[in-house]
Amino acid sequence: MRPETAPTGYSRLQIALHWIVFALIAQHYLFKDTMSATWDRVIEGLEVRFDPLVLAHVAGGADARMRRAQG
């Protein structure tokens, strides 16, 4: 027995969340080598050169943490 109020498609929110998750997974896949190499240098105590991908990662993480702290 099928309910009368069954949705006929995906909501805008579901579509937006799908693409956000896709973008996050794609970013992780594309930039994992850069982040791993940088982190290895940090752990070994070596100098870390500037990399815009690393800056974007750190800035994005800092932004997310500040937004979470604000509630």
Side-chain angles (χ1 to χ4, degrees), residues 11-52:
S11 70
R12 288 181 186 255
L13 177 61
Q14 288 172 315
I15 294 169
L17 288 174
H18 166 79
W19 287 111
I20 289 169
V21 169
F22 172 80
L24 290 171
I25 291 171
Q27 174 189 4
H28 177 74
Y29 180 76
L30 294 172
F31 304 136
K32 69 181 185 288
D33 294 333
T34 301
M35 292 306 302
S36 294
T38 301
W39 185 247
D40 288 343
R41 292 185 66 81
V42 169
I43 295 298
E44 294 169 4
L46 301 173
E47 183 178 346
V48 178
R49 63 181 175 82
F50 175 77
D51 189 320

